[in-house]
């Protein structure tokens, strides 16, 4: 029986939403359908298992704690000796351990099954409890194709990079059970313009190089190995630099400071100096940029996966909130204006995830030697990375607003996702770099445009609005005047056509119709929640709720 005091207490909590826990983050129907379509249905049980873990209160607490207690840099020990170490909270290592054990890092390179890289993409998407630790996981995945340009180094380190054992600590890399890799590319005088790098690499008689220079961004500095760019007499070259040298001596990498970032705080990003550090040449001397091209493809794909995952997570939180929160006499999810917003967010999320999974499939087949899929990946990945990573902050902002004031409070986690989203648009080339790279690919590799158009035309004839959008896009390539000025306009149209082609072919009719009506047919406003009332909102919302 409720006491009189309890009945009149000012602290009775009502109309607040229960925590979103106990769900399966891999239950997203878009993910499951794409996993089957792209040849990795065999991994459904593995992805489900990871998705269920990601939905637990324990895993979510790991992500929350790792972000709230960021890494600490220790340049010296208490006696004044130089140590250059970064200390993480245990939650960070829990996250890393799960990611490595489940093969989110380099494990697919050792898996001969068709669809292995698609399965890895699905797991990366489902394990979205903390974005920061995903950075070293992603870099470890991306390092392998570059490392293979030096067969001797690949033979030494690839088995340890693909190992499913997380073995943290600074020791001789070949004495460890598993390795994590990082990248150390950009410098303070030029970020994307890596050819302007001033770090030097001087060849030695034993075949190694001595590196000297200052790097502006080196993420995950406690990694075991780093790919870095430096100038040799032949030009910009790529090197593998170990944190600890064979035999156990620390390599001469000096940590200057950790970056105080907007988001991604669980991941240490540092400035470092190479003070006569030892490195091994990877690829041809003077061809460093060419050596890392395939690595860039891998990390760009992970930017798309991470953006899509953040969008879906924020949508799940918004839909969960709307289902349990009431206003003006009924649940928010029954209010017409909120239904329009949530349906619009679902269309955006579904378009991003469907395109991502098609790219994951193209990546898997390109790695296995399919030249047509490699050409499609080259151009479709560049345009999708530009557009999806640009859209993610806008979409997550709208999802945050669905929670009202609670969305702006760190306790409710959407704010953490929101702070994360701009990073993925910056990483591996911010907007202008990504857009111009797409146009550069079209100019230098015309067959990539042929591959893109062939993929787009597979959806022709199913929707007049899609067909008209494809025709408009083709006209953009009839003139090459002011091409750089039009770069973002063209690349955005390409991204929308690519998303539309996938949805028209594979999504349920309500989703494809809403996408074509709004994004391609221009029956849409300037904000989310402006879909036409003629659409099937109920059919769309069925796919928005968390599993």
């Amino acid at each position: 029986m409720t006491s009189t005091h309890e009945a009149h207490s000012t602290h009775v909590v009502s109309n607040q939403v229960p925590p979103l826990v106990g769900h399966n983050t891999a239950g997203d129907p878009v993910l499951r359908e794409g996993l089957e379509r792209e040849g990795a249905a065999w991994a459904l049980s593995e992805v489900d298992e990871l998705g269920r873990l990601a939905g637990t209160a324990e895993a979510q607490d790991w992500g929350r704690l790792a972000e709230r207690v960021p890494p600490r840099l220790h340049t010296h020990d208490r006696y004044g000796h130089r140590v250059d170490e970064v200390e993480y909270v245990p939650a960070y290592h829990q996250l890393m351990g799960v990611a490595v054990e489940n093969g989110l890092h380099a494990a697919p390179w050792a898996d001969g099954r068709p669809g292995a890289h698609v399965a890895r993409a699905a797991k990366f998407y489902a394990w979205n409890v903390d974005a920061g630790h995903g950075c070293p996981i992603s870099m470890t995945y991306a390092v392998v194709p570059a490392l293979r340009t030096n067969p001797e180094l690949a033979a030494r380190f690839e088995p340890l990079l693909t190992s499913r054992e997380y073995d943290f600590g600074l020791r001789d890399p070949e004495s460890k059970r598993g390795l994590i890799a990082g990248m150390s590319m950009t410098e303070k005088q030029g970020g994307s313009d890596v050819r302007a790098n001033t770090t030097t690499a001087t060849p030695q008689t034993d075949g190694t190089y001595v590196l000297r220079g200052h790097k502006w961004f080196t993420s995950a500095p406690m990694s075991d190995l780093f790919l870095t760019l430096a100038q040799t007499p032949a030009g910009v070259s790529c090197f593998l630099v170990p944190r600890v040298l064979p035999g156990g001596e620390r390599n001469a990498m000096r940590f200057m400071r950790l970056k105080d970032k907007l988001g991604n705080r669980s991941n240490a990003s540092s400035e470092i100096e190479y003070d006569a550090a030892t490195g091994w040449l990877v690829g041809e001397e003077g061809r460093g940029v060419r050596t890392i091209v395939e690595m860039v493809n891998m990390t760009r794909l992970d930017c798309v996966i991470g953006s899509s995952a953040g969008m879906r997570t924020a949508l799940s939180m918004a839909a969960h909130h709307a289902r349990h929160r009431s206003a003006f006499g009924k649940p928010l999810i029954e209010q017409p204006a909120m239904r329009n917003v949530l349906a619009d967010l679902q269309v955006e999320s579904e378009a991003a995830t469907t395109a991502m999974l098609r790219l994951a499939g193209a990546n898997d087949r390109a790695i296995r030697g399919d030249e047509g899929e490699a050409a499609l990946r080259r151009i479709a990945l560049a345009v999708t990375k530009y557009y999806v990573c640009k859209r993610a902050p806008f979409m997550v902002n709208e999802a945050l607003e669905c929670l009202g004031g609670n969305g702006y409070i760190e306790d409710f986690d959407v704010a953490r996702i929101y702070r994360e989203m701009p990073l993925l648009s910056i990483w591996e080339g911010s907007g202008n770099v990504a857009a111009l790279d797409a146009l550069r690919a079209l100019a230098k590799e015309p067959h990539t445009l042929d591959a893109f158009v062939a993929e787009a035309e597979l959806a022709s004839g199913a929707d007049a609005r899609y067909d008209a959008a494809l025709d408009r896009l083709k006209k953009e390539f009839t003139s090459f005047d002011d091409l750089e000025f039009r770069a973002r306009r063209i690349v955005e149209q390409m991204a929308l056509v690519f998303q539309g082609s996938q949805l028209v072919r594979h999504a349920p009719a309500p989703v494809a119709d809403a996408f074509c009506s709004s994004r391609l047919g221009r029956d849409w406003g300037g904000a989310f929640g402006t879909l036409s009332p003629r659409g099937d909102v109920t059919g769309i919302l069925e796919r928005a709720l968390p599993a």
Side-chain angles (χ1 to χ4, degrees):
M1 178 178 294
T2 303
S3 69
T4 302
H5 173 75
E6 289 173 331
H8 296 283
S9 171
T10 59
H11 296 289
V12 172
V13 177
S14 62
N15 200 28
Q16 288 287 352
V17 176
L20 177 55
V21 295
H23 62 297
N24 179 2
T25 64
D28 178 6
V30 188
L31 180 69
R32 304 177 76 82
E33 292 159 10
L35 197 61
E36 294 189 22
R37 190 167 58 245
E38 298 299 335
W42 52 265
L44 270 170
S45 61
E46 296 176 24
V47 177
D48 263 339
E49 182 179 356
L50 186 59
R52 283 191 290 270
L53 176 59
T56 64
E58 181 182 31
Q60 291 180 36
D61 282 343
W62 291 340
R64 203 170 291 120
L65 184 59
E67 182 77 2
R68 290 190 177 181
V69 187
R72 293 181 60 195
L73 171 62
H74 302 284
T75 56
H76 297 77
D77 67 13
R78 57 184 171 175
Y79 303 109
H81 302 120
R82 190 94 200 194
V83 292
D84 294 293
E85 293 192 3
V86 176
E87 179 184 11
Y88 299 88
V89 293
Y92 175 87
H93 297 299
Q94 293 277 12
L95 294 164
M96 287 291 291
V98 170
V100 171
E101 289 162 14
N102 283 273
L104 275 64
H105 62 320
W109 298 103
D111 190 337
R113 291 175 292 181
H117 293 267
V118 179
R120 181 258 174 194
K123 290 179 180 180
F124 199 83
Y125 178 96
W127 184 240
N128 189 43
V129 293
D130 165 71
H133 82 287
C135 182
I137 293 297
S138 178
M139 292 189 295
T140 305
Y141 175 63
V143 157
V144 170
L147 194 61
R148 287 180 174 179
T149 62
N150 186 319
E152 180 185 349
L153 291 177
R156 287 173 63 184
F157 296 116
E158 188 173 326
L160 292 167
L161 291 167
T162 59
S163 165
R164 294 198 180 207
E165 291 193 65
Y166 175 59
D167 187 4
F168 181 79
L170 295 181
R171 304 192 301 281
D172 181 339
E174 289 175 279
S175 72
K176 300 183 70 175
R177 301 186 305 276
L179 301 178
I180 296 296
M183 299 171 191
S184 187
M185 303 291 178
T186 62
E187 299 184 2
K188 50 191 168 186
Q189 78 285 347
S192 298
D193 186 9
V194 293
R195 294 185 188 277
N197 283 5
T198 60
T199 297
T200 61
T202 306
Q204 306 298 297
T205 56
D206 63 357
T208 64
Y209 287 71
V210 169
L211 279 69
R212 288 184 170 85
H214 187 118
K215 293 294 182 178
W216 192 240
F217 275 103
T218 298
S219 286
M222 289 296 284
S223 299
D224 301 292
L225 305 169
F226 294 86
L227 279 187
T228 192
L229 294 176
Q231 298 279 2
T232 70
V236 176
S237 305
C238 183
F239 296 90
L240 185 69
V241 181
R243 276 285 274 123
V244 179
L245 297 169
E249 180 186 352
R250 299 281 182 94
N251 207 354
M253 296 171 62
R254 308 302 183 209
F255 296 172
M256 311 311 293
R257 61 172 174 167
L258 299 186
K259 300 291 193 179
D260 187 8
K261 296 176 291 184
L262 169 68
N264 202 251
R265 299 180 71 86
S266 62
N267 172 43
S269 294
S270 62
E271 285 179 50
I272 68 167
E273 287 186 355
Y274 294 123
D275 185 13
T278 297
W280 300 298
L281 182 67
V282 178
E284 294 180 52
E285 192 172 324
R287 305 296 294 275
V289 175
R290 177 179 289 274
T291 300
I292 66 170
V293 162
E294 191 71 1
M295 178 202 78
V296 170
N297 279 331
M298 300 303 116
T299 46
R300 282 185 173 173
L301 177 59
D302 279 5
C303 288
V304 177
I305 300 170
S307 293
S308 301
M311 293 161 83
R312 174 64 193 187
T313 302
L315 169 61
S316 294
M317 291 176 175
H320 176 76
H321 178 88
R323 181 163 56 179
H324 291 278
R325 179 86 162 176
S326 294
F328 309 110
K330 56 184 176 182
L332 288 175
I333 202 165
E334 295 179 13
Q335 303 280 3
M338 181 61 81
R339 290 174 67 79
N340 197 329
V341 169
L342 292 173
D344 212 352
L345 294 179
Q346 171 61 27
V347 171
E348 192 76 23
S349 173
E350 185 147 352
T353 302
T354 304
M356 175 274 286
L357 288 161
R358 176 66 184 94
L359 291 169
N363 183 54
D364 191 87
R365 290 181 280 274
I367 289 167
R368 298 174 197 285
D370 188 320
E371 294 182 1
E373 290 288 270
L376 177 66
R377 180 190 64 176
R378 173 67 180 95
I379 187 62
L381 180 53
V383 301
T384 303
K385 193 275 179 189
Y386 166 82
Y387 187 71
V388 168
C389 296
K390 276 254 178 278
R391 293 294 296 169
F394 292 103
M395 185 194 147
V396 174
N397 173 64
E398 191 69 54
L400 181 153
E401 192 173 321
C402 291
L403 276 69
N406 284 349
Y408 204 65
I409 305 301
E410 293 287 350
D411 292 347
F412 288 83
D413 289 337
V414 190
R416 175 160 56 104
I417 301 171
Y418 179 63
R419 286 187 286 104
E420 191 67 39
M421 287 298 98
L423 171 65
L424 295 170
S425 189
I426 296 170
W427 194 24
E428 289 302 358
S430 52
N432 286 346
V433 172
L436 291 171
D437 180 62
L439 297 187
R440 190 176 303 112
L442 296 177
K444 295 180 66 175
E445 305 168 75
H447 65 288
T448 61
L449 180 58
D450 296 336
F452 184 91
V453 171
E455 177 76 12
E457 288 181 340
L458 292 174
S460 294
D463 189 289
R465 297 158 300 189
Y466 173 78
D467 293 344
L470 180 55
D471 287 341
R472 287 195 302 270
L473 176 62
K474 290 177 179 178
K475 290 176 183 175
E476 292 284 359
F477 297 108
T478 59
S479 170
F480 291 94
D481 296 335
D482 302 320
L483 199 60
E484 286 197 14
F485 188 82
R486 293 186 290 129
R488 288 187 175 215
R489 173 189 176 92
I490 294 171
V491 170
E492 178 176 308
Q493 290 183 55
M494 293 181 73
L496 287 169
V497 165
F498 183 66
Q499 288 183 338
S501 72
Q502 303 307 309
L503 293 179
V504 166
R505 293 172 60 200
H506 306 303
V511 175
D513 176 69
F515 183 90
C516 291
S517 171
S518 57
R519 278 72 168 168
L520 302 181
R522 317 291 173 86
D523 186 8
W524 199 31
F528 286 105
T530 54
L531 293 176
S532 167
R534 294 184 294 275
D536 180 4
V537 168
T538 299
I540 298 171
L541 287 179
E542 289 174 353
R543 299 167 71 79
L545 294 168

